[in-house]
Amino acid sequence: MTVINNPLRLTPSQWRIMRYLGSYSASATRVGFRADQLCEHTSTEPADLGDLADSGYIAGRERGSAWEPAPDVVRDATNPKRLNVHITTQGKKAATILEAATFALLHLRVHGSLPTDFLRGELGTDNDTLARLERCAYTQTIPGDHLAWHEGSTVRVYQAQQRIDPHWTCTSCNALPRAGATIWVDITDAPIDRHCDPCARRKAKVAVPSALVTLTKLGRRYSDPYMIEVGS
């Protein structure tokens, strides 16, 4: 028996199961999904269901049974075609946590490292999600002042530096900041832009520049669970 108290510690295949059940929460609560069909839709195996039941995230009921769904039924089932899998109240909470984490991880995968204020303000990622991701070593925080803003579908990320080049002017307003003033230098793969502090803060729409959140190797693996093969 493996009891998993932190849903972010689930295997990628179990993560997929919980996200699927969470996406169809009403049906998964009331009617349930036949175990073999659930595994087919999520590219998983019936063996992936056992730990989820032990953790209280799912419960099972034999097809045609009048009994309420129970976790033990999942563990004892021998025929996936005869087993209906239901999400529990605890499972719904786990699925909500996983959905928020997946949303943040996917954006980090697509756009690269992002400032914490951008993740909170622009993407709506809450502090609990950011803390959970870092505790699980899916992300790491890089100290320093960073800003980000959208340019179309692209996110541009800037880092605070001091102006040294005497010939540098702001990309936005063409002003020449004083020597030693804070400037914001593009650290994405796009052509390098540099902005004076007032222009950068107007573009970013934030009051306080924040540290950078970046994916770890493990976080990249979890940033798109659908790309992970069963058993990898």
Side-chain angles (χ1 to χ4, degrees):
M1 175 185 292
T2 302
V3 177
I4 303 169
N5 295 319
N6 183 353
L8 269 64
R9 297 293 188 188
L10 295 172
T11 66
S13 52
Q14 292 167 342
W15 192 317
R16 291 199 296 272
I17 291 170
M18 291 308 302
R19 286 189 61 212
Y20 186 89
L21 292 174
S23 297
Y24 300 97
S25 178
S27 296
T29 302
R30 186 179 67 257
V31 181
F33 289 92
R34 212 173 78 184
D36 62 322
Q37 295 176 340
L38 173 62
C39 291
E40 181 181 351
H41 290 317
T42 56
S43 299
T44 58
E45 298 291 336
D48 292 312
L49 299 172
D51 291 342
L52 297 177
D54 292 337
S55 301
Y57 296 152
I58 62 173
R61 178 171 58 185
E62 288 191 12
R63 293 181 67 83
S65 170
W67 295 97
E68 288 294 315
D72 288 347
V73 177
V74 177
R75 178 63 75 183
D76 296 339
T78 57
N79 185 353
K81 293 182 179 180
R82 298 288 302 167
L83 172 65
N84 265 27
V85 176
H86 298 251
I87 193 169
T88 64
T89 300
Q90 188 174 347
K92 291 178 186 178
K93 293 178 181 177
T96 299
I97 290 172
L98 289 173
E99 195 61 34
T102 299
F103 183 75
L105 290 173
L106 286 175
H107 275 81
L108 289 167
R109 183 188 185 97
V110 171
H111 297 297
S113 302
L114 296 171
T116 52
D117 283 340
F118 186 88
L119 285 163
R120 293 189 192 104
E122 294 292 313
L123 303 181
T125 303
D126 60 273
N127 289 333
D128 286 344
T129 297
L130 291 173
R132 289 188 184 103
L133 291 171
E134 186 144 9
R135 283 198 299 269
C136 290
Y138 297 154
T139 62
Q140 61 183 2
T141 301
I142 300 174
D145 288 343
H146 302 84
L147 295 174
W149 57 82
H150 284 285
E151 291 189 2
S153 60
T154 302
V155 177
R156 303 286 289 273
V157 180
Y158 293 78
Q159 185 175 41
Q161 297 182 11
Q162 285 190 327
R163 175 181 169 260
I164 299 175
D165 183 350
H167 304 294
W168 177 83
T169 58
C170 174
T171 302
S172 295
C173 68
N174 291 320
L176 184 67
R178 62 178 174 79
T182 297
I183 61 172
W184 297 89
V185 179
D186 185 4
I187 60 172
T188 63
D189 293 332
I192 294 178
D193 285 340
R194 292 173 291 191
H195 298 268
C196 65
D197 191 58
C199 288
R201 289 174 182 268
R202 281 196 298 272
K203 282 178 171 288
K205 301 177 184 177
V206 296
V208 181
S210 60
L212 203 63
V213 178
T214 187
L215 284 176
T216 62
K217 184 177 180 180
L218 181 60
R220 182 161 292 279
R221 180 171 183 249
Y222 271 82
S223 64
D224 190 352
Y226 287 94
M227 295 180 64
I228 303 168
E229 295 181 1
V230 173
S232 62

